[in-house]
């Protein structure tokens, strides 16, 4: 029907279309930007957005109606496509008019079927539908999408017989079909037409798609692009159970996969992307879950229906064609399922016989005329073979993929294609969706994506290293000389292969291929040589064959190669370190360096024993081109990577093992994880195992705090207590309350289901108890909580102590870390036989949480910190102890000596002779023979009727031992009998603790090997085990094999952890061998999905495949109930307004408020000395004519903002602000390095200034805070990655008392994501206003007015520099010294530049010392 202009309704405003009249805003923009004589007719992206897209968007949707033109619909589809590519909110825009959205959706579906539209228009319309099916969590969208893939599409199956066969597979399917039939029959004529359209739409789209595969225009670029996008659509539908449940049957009925593989489009060499998409589509079509029951079929169960189908094929064959297919009927099923075997049998039949066989087997042979499909012999055989051949299992598929890269995998065209992703075409990679078909499906997708991401980073690093080495062709044939240097690489000679071990049972590859390489380290500095010598066993190395000059026939040029580069990487082989030897072949750690005149001689050579990649070695050995060249003789460079970047192999191996072992999650969590069923089914209120009574210990500070924590709820004392009483409190019967006030309910409901009224909340039953006396020494006293938790925090703590899934959303400053630590504290004391696994995404986040846990009332011997970040713990917060494996073992042995000394002292106090404190064993004997009988006799006397206060004191057997207790006398004369009994009980507790500790230490006394001691510690002693998500992924197998078990999993900053890194900790233990169930009882996810997400280096994997999706965010999207902490106490209320808007527009969540302390604490009420405002946006203009610069790709700097930030810091220091209370943040790593350079040259070593507490990027600073933040936004041309409002939230929420934002006003005013914050910032001057005559700290209150005569406006960085210059001279003169002060820089153009290559946000740092001509002279520093 074409693009017809429908008549507009009278209420729709008209728009002029004649450019010459000048009355139309679009015409004015076009004339100004493009209709000029200037040949460079370009416009800045923000201009296009602000003057075209935003006004167009504001016009199109409000004016849309049923009579809107097709152009109107197409423009709306285009806007959705643009916003979807930019990862901006899409569907919230339509929620105000649901009925109009239904009309729009129907119009778009209709236009998708219009074959007269141009391919580009249909591509836009199809992209709209794809985006809709990717947002099924949105009720508005789900309502329109669901009918398109419902059971009614089975009306399009080839015959009623085939449909009935499918209906017999499950009773639920038959029931759904009958319901759909009744609904259609009862519908009005209008609704019947709608239902017909919905059930035939996907079939019509498939028919149109099939017609494009072999048509005359099939090879046209636009047709190929449309077919690729349609394949993406089908893959999306097939990869989620709700959309594939009925569609997959239709896909199989149409033989779509066979038609694709036989098509012209598939077999044209240039259509590599289409072929890759077809193979991905085939994978999902053939996947194993039960489409109707949603259950994943194990290999054995999965094979059963397949063999039944083969048996049916044999029955039909012998019955219909007894002569020609007799051998097929008698064939072994294992042989029959092979493709070649099936093809040979089917080829014996004529065409008519093939048609008859297909008819008997239910294989389609007739297609709609519009599909333009010719049902020839080849298609019928391919359809039959595709149905009955054995498909590779997921295990086989994954095991065929190596975790170690070679040049073939690093430079795979499919991988290279992903690097130029711009959103214009799909990619042949699986997406991480809202739902998954099974756990194996999720693991397979994650494995492929993380493997590709790891190989992308490796190739980028290898090319960067070789580029720094500057290879050039030598004089001899194939010789390569290296004119540059990289600390991460060394030239080597040919590796020598010294041993090839036989393959293990069940493996096709050698157990190991041992080789040796020699490295010349004579020219390396001590630091770099030490780095090479510090390689650990198992570290991955990369052996490269680098050629220069002549291009080898198999050589691969570097991706993104630069002009003038004439080198390429021929081969890449991965190896693992076995041992490092010196030049004499001795293990390096045992080698004594030869000395001359008392000095060690310089090392000249190191030899590395390595294990080569066995899989690649076998391939090289069997390669037909082996006779031409030996790959290993060509290797001439060895490359290492930094440890934090080089953990790809153990992580990928863990994923492979999980797929093969077919691991399951706890039964209560698995369906929620996959995205099916009731989203709230894993919450404790819906679980039968919920705990009826919980001891909250020190959670509540007093009775009033308890009352405030449950507003509107009655408190009912239990037992003998009446009225109010003090803590500790035991709360009972939480199961009677079906919903807490702070629990965000699940959003998923049936279309016609209304919100149920919440049941009235019953009373909370409260009881108390007396804390036991733990002994007369201060070390025995309880450590009590001092935080007055808010009601929402109490709800989170309550949920976290119960079994099930708890999701805690913690906006900035709301105390989510305090909540997590209190949950751990309660779990530790309420469930003494259980363990808690504590996880975070980084060492920094984990250490912040661990430092708080250390200060809780927990025995330090039960705390264990795994990984290499333990050394970064603050020694003052850890009481000087070490919480690593080795540190805990050492602590146990140190405690052993202390406790044994106490045993000796106890023995002397009672006159027991002997070496009782010689060992844990002798101490145990001493306790059972000497100590325990005395206590028994003493308690028998105390409980007798004849005991008196005097006799209680007189008969106490350990007076002498407790003579050194701080409180003397031990038994006060005026004490009551109850108090005396309590003191005696405390003394017994103290003594029993000594022997109990020694009993726990005893295994460490018996075990001699450090490894055995460490493993015993992890497996039996530690109750709170902390590690990073990366450590868990790397060591999952070894931890599980130790028999480590845990009942609770708590993830801090869970929104920054990728899905696979969230999944692995859930299966870090083996299931019960008898029941098959996991011991995991509760999962607590703490985070904030409105702050930073996981960092992904490859844009394609993040933007297209959603690799940066966290489990935390996905569960929130699915509507899993969450608890939002709603009161912040971090910063001034005025500062909180800058980010509160992010938390007020979310459905089902309370608004963010301020704690009372922020309105009453003196530090929040006092003004910032020397500043007129507590926060400001400071407009920083070009400095020496320049704004942002990009000396190397993605390494963005802004010298003006860097100078301004440092000058502002110096100004604050001159006023007396402590350096440790100031942090400088930048949005790019390049700017961070530039600011560090300026600080080092201007401030380091100068006692007036020093260095601030931190200079970091915004990404790295999440989870931290400081009183005063100086923030550099860097960008002056485009907004860049800060358009992501999550990073913006982090940037604006780090400051407690003062925030100074440096940026370009015009740019950030044009950014819609920044608009709510910018609206607040614009209420204050955009130039820095300082106040004279003040020093830190000031007595001026923030609310006090400031006299105009005391205000000074700072006009630019030069003015601030002069101001600081004069202040410094005055300061030095006041201190009685002489100052030689050079002015702030005025003419520096390139005084600072990059020393590495980082991407947007926080990416990997570069080599640092490789080639660093960029640290040039920086003038203007103070002497």
């Amino acid at each position: 029907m074409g693009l017809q202009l429908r008549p507009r309704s009278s209420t729709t405003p008209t728009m002029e279309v004649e450019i010459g009249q000048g009355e139309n805003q679009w015409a004015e923009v076009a004339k100004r930007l493009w209709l000029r004589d200037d040949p460079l007719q370009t416009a800045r992206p923000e201009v296009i957005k602000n003057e075209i897209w935003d006004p167009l968007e504001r016009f199109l949707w409000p004016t849309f109606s049923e009579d809107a033109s097709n152009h109107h619909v197409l423009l709306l589809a285009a806007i959705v496509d643009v916003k979807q590519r930019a990862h901006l909110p899409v569907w919230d825009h339509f929620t105000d008019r649901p009925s109009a959205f239904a009309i729009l959706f129907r119009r778009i579906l209709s236009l998708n079927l219009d074959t007269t539209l141009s391919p580009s228009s249909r591509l836009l319309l199809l992209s709209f539908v794809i985006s809709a099916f990717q947002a099924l969590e949105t009720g508005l969208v789900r309502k329109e999408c669901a009918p398109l893939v419902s059971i009614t599409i089975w009306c399009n199956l080839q015959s009623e017989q085939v449909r009935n066969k499918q209906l017999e597979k499950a009773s639920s399917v038959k029931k759904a079909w009958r319901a759909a039939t009744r609904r259609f029959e009862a519908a009005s004529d209008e609704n019947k037409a709608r239902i017909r359209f919905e059930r035939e739409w996907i079939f019509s789209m498939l028919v149109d798609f099939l017609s494009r595969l072999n048509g005359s225009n099939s090879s046209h670029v636009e047709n190929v692009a449309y077919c690729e996008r349609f394949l993406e659509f089908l893959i999306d539908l097939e990869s989620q159970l709700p959309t594939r449940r009925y569609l997959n049957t239709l896909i199989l009925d149409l033989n779509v996969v066979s038609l694709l593989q036989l098509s012209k489009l598939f077999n044209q060499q240039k259509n590599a992307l289409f072929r890759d998409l077809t193979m991905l589509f085939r994978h999902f079509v053939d996947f194993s879950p039960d489409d109707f029951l949603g259950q994943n079929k194990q290999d054995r169960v999965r094979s059963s229906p397949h063999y039944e189908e083969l048996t049916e094929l044999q029955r039909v064959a012998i019955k219909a064609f007894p002569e020609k297919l007799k051998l097929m009927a008698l064939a072994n099923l294992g042989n029959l399922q092979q493709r070649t075997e099936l093809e040979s049998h089917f080829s014996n039949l004529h065409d008519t016989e093939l048609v008859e066989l297909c008819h008997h087997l239910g294989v389609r042979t007739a297609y709609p005329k519009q599909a333009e499909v010719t049902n020839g012999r080849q298609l019928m055989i391919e359809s039959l073979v595709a149905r009955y051949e054995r498909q590779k299992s997921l295990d086989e598929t994954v095991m065929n993929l190596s975790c170690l890269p070679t040049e073939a995998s690093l430079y795979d065209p499919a991988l290279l294609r992903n690097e130029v992703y711009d959103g214009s075409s799909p990619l042949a990679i699986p997406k991480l969706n809202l739902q998954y078909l099974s756990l194996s499906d999720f693991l397979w997708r994650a494995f492929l994506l993380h493997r590709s991401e790891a190989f992308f980073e490796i190739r980028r690093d290898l090319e960067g290293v070789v580029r720094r080495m500057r290879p050039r062709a030598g004089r001899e044939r194939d010789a390569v000389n290296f004119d540059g240097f990289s600390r991460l690489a060394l030239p080597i000679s040919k590796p020598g292969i010294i041993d090839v071990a036989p393959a293990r049972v069940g493996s096709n590859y050698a157990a190991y291929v041992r080789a040796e390489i020699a490295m010349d380290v004579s020219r390396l500095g001590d630091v770099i040589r030490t780095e090479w010598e510090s390689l650990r066993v198992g570290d991955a190395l990369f052996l490269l064959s680098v050629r220069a000059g002549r291009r080898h026939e198999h050589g691969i040029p570097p991706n993104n190669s630069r002009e003038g580069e004439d080198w390429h990487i021929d081969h890449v082989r991965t190896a693992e370190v076995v041992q490092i030897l010196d030049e004499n072949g001795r293990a390096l750690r045992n080698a004594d360096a030869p000395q001359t005149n008392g000095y060690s001689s310089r090392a000249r050579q190191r030899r590395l024993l390595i294990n080569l990649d066995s899989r690649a070695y076998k391939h090289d050995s069997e390669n037909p081109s082996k006779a031409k060249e030996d790959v290993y003789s060509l290797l001439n460079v060895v490359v290492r990577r930094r440890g934090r970047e080089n953990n790809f192999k153990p992580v990928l191996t863990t994923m492979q093992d999980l797929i093969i072992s077919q691991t399951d999650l706890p039964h209560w969590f698995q369906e929620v994880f996959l995205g099916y069923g009731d989203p709230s089914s894993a919450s404790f209120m819906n679980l039968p195992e919920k705990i009826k009574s919980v001891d909250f210990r020190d959670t509540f500070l007093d009775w009033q705090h308890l009352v405030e924590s449950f507003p509107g709820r009655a408190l009912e004392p239990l037992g003998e207590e009446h009225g109010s009483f003090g803590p500790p409190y035991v709360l009972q019967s939480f199961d009677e309350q079906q919903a807490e006030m702070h629990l965000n309910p699940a959003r998923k409901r049936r279309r016609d289901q209304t919100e149920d009224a919440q049941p009235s909340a019953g009373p909370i039953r409260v009881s108390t108890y007396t804390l036991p006396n733990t002994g007369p020494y201060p070390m025995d006293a309880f450590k009590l909580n001092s935080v007055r938790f808010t009601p929402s925090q109490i709800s989170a703590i309550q949920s976290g102590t119960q079994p099930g899934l708890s999701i805690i959303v913690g906006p900035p400053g709301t105390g989510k870390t305090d909540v997590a630590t209190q949950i751990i504290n309660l779990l530790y004391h309420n469930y003494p036989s259980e363990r808690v696994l504590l996880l975070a995404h980084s060492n920094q986040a984990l250490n912040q949480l661990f430092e708080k846990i250390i200060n809780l009332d927990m025995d330090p011997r039960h705390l264990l910190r795994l990984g290499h970040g333990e050394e970064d713990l603050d020694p003052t917060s850890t009481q000087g102890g070490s919480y690593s494996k080795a540190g805990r073992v050492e602590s146990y042995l140190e405690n052993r000596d202390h406790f044994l000394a106490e045993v000796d002292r106890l023995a002397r106090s009672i006159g027991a002779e002997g070496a009782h404190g010689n060992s844990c064993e002798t101490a145990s004997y001493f306790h059972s023979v000497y100590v325990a009988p005395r206590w028994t006799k003493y308690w028998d006397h105390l409980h007798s009727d004849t005991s008196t206060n005097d006799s209680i004191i007189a008969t106490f057997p350990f007076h002498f031992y407790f003579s050194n207790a701080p409180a003397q006398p031990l038994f006060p004369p005026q004490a009551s009998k109850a108090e005396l009994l309590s003191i005696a009980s405390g003394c017994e507790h103290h003594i029993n603790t000594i022997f109990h500790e020694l009993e726990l230490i005893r295994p460490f006394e018996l075990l001699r090997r450090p490894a055995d001691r460490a493993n015993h510690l992890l497996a039996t002693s530690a109750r709170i085990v902390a590690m990073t998500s990366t450590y868990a992924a790397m060591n999952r197998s070894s931890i599980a094999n130790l028999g480590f078990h845990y009942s609770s999993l708590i993830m801090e900053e869970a929104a920054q952890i990728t899905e696979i890194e969230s999944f692995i900790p859930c299966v870090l233990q083996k299931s019960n061998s008898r029941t098959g169930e996991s011991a995991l009882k509760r999962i607590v996810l703490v985070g904030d999905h409105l702050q930073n997400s996981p960092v992904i280096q490859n844009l394609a994997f993040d933007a297209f495949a959603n690799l940066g999706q966290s489990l935390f965010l996905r569960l929130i999207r699915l509507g899993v109930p969450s608890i939002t902490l709603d009161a912040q106490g971090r910063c001034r209320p005025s500062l909180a307004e800058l980010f509160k808007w992010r938390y007020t527009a979310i459905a089902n969540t309370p608004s963010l408020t301020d704690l009372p302390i922020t309105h009453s604490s003196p530090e929040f009420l006092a003004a910032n000395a020397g500043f007129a405002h507590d926060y400001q946006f400071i407009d920083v203009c070009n400095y020496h004519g320049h704004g942002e610069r990009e000396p190397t790709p993605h390494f963005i700097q802004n010298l003006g903002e860097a100078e301004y930030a440092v000058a502002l810091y110096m100004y604050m220091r001159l006023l007396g602000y402590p350096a440790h209370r100031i942090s400088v943040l930048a949005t790019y790593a390049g700017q961070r390095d530039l600011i560090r350079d300026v600080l080092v040259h201007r401030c380091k070593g100068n006692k007036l200034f020093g260095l601030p507490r931190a200079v970091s990027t915004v990404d790295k600073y999440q989870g931290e805070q400081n009183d005063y933040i100086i923030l550099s936004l860097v960008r002056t041309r485009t907004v860049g990655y800060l358009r992501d409002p999550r990073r913006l939230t982090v940037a604006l929420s780090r400051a407690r008392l003062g925030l100074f934002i440096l940026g370009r006003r015009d740019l950030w005013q044009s950014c819609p994501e920044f608009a709510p914050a910018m609206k607040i910032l614009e209420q204050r001057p955009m130039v820095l206003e300082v106040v004279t005559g003040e020093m830190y700290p000031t007595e001026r209150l923030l609310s006090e007015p400031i006299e105009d005569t005391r205000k000074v406006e700072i006009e630019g960085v030069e003015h601030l520099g002069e101001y600081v210059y004069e202040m410094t001279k005055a300061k030095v003169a006041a201190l009685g010294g002489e100052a030689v002060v050079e002015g702030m820089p005025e003419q520096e153009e390139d005084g600072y530049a990059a020393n590495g290559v980082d991407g947007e946000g926080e990416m990997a740092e570069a080599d640092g010392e490789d080639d660093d001509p960029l640290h040039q002279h920086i003038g203007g520093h103070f002497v």
Side-chain angles (χ1 to χ4, degrees), residues 556-570:
I556 302 171
N559 196 43
N560 301 324
S561 58
R562 300 174 185 173
E563 185 177 356
E565 290 183 346
D566 188 21
W567 58 268
H568 49 271
I569 299 174
D570 268 359

Side-chain angles (χ1 to χ4, degrees), residues 582 584 586-595:
D582 66 2
N584 299 317
R586 293 177 297 182
L588 190 61
R589 63 179 181 274
N590 298 326
D592 296 324
Q595 295 187 349

Side-chain angles (χ1 to χ4, degrees), residues 64-75:
F64 175 79
S65 66
E66 189 173 3
D67 297 326
S69 68
N70 290 346
H71 288 106
H72 200 142
V73 175
L74 273 173
L75 283 172

Side-chain angles (χ1 to χ4, degrees), residues 1128-1136 1138-1139 1157-1159 1161-1169 1171-1176 1212 1217-1218 1221-1222 1265-1270 1292-1300 1324 1336-1338 1342:
Q1128 73 85 23
R1130 169 185 292 173
C1131 62
R1132 304 182 193 269
S1134 55
L1135 288 175
L1138 295 174
F1139 59 85
I1157 192 175
T1158 61
H1159 298 279
S1161 175
E1163 67 172 346
F1164 292 125
L1165 298 178
N1168 295 332
F1171 292 98
H1173 308 284
D1174 53 347
Y1175 65 84
Q1176 270 192 279
M1212 297 177 71
Y1217 284 87
R1221 302 187 70 179
I1222 306 171
Q1265 63 187 33
N1266 209 347
D1267 290 347
Y1268 304 97
I1269 297 293
I1270 301 171
L1292 297 178
S1293 60
R1294 300 305 96 195
R1296 297 183 65 250
L1297 304 177
L1299 174 63
F1300 304 97
R1324 299 184 177 183
Y1336 177 89
T1338 180
L1342 189 64

Side-chain angles (χ1 to χ4, degrees), residues 653-785:
T653 302
T654 294
M655 295 186 204
Q656 275 186 326
D657 293 342
L658 289 172
I659 294 174
I660 295 170
S661 62
Q662 298 176 337
T663 306
D664 286 330
L665 289 168
H667 68 279
W668 51 268
F669 182 51
Q670 182 149 323
E671 279 203 358
V672 173
F673 179 88
L674 294 175
Y676 306 133
D678 182 4
S680 63
S681 61
S683 299
F684 79 91
M685 295 175 298
N686 298 320
L687 294 178
E689 301 90 355
K690 51 184 169 290
I691 309 299
K692 297 184 178 298
S693 176
V694 177
D695 180 2
F696 278 81
R697 294 179 62 82
D698 57 351
T699 303
F700 303 101
L701 303 185
D702 49 49
W703 181 266
Q704 183 60 32
H705 184 201
L706 179 63
V707 173
E708 294 170 354
S709 299
F710 298 96
R713 301 286 297 278
L715 301 180
E716 180 181 296
L718 288 178
E720 299 178 357
E721 302 294 340
H722 300 283
S724 61
F725 47 90
Y729 299 114
V730 179
L731 307 187
Q732 298 183 12
S733 301
F734 284 113
D735 56 315
E736 293 184 2
Q737 288 78 45
Q738 296 301 313
E740 294 292 333
M741 61 170 296
H742 295 283
L743 188 65
N744 303 328
R747 299 192 306 270
K748 188 174 180 180
R749 301 192 307 275
R750 294 185 61 88
R751 201 180 311 180
D752 54 351
Q753 181 180 345
T754 59
E755 192 77 62
D756 295 333
Q758 296 294 339
S760 58
I764 298 176
R765 295 187 285 275
V766 186
S767 62
T768 189
Y769 60 92
T770 302
L771 289 172
N773 190 319
T774 55
Y777 297 97
M779 68 184 72
D780 298 324
F782 291 106
K783 299 177 183 177
L784 299 179
N785 162 62

Side-chain angles (χ1 to χ4, degrees), residues 221 382 389 443 517 526 574 578 586 593 613 803 832 845 906 1088 1191 1321 1345 1418:
V221 175
E382 177 60 31
E389 73 171 325
L443 289 168
I517 58 176
D526 292 340
T574 309
V578 176
R586 293 177 297 182
D613 181 3
L906 180 60
D1088 184 5
L1321 293 168
I1418 303 177

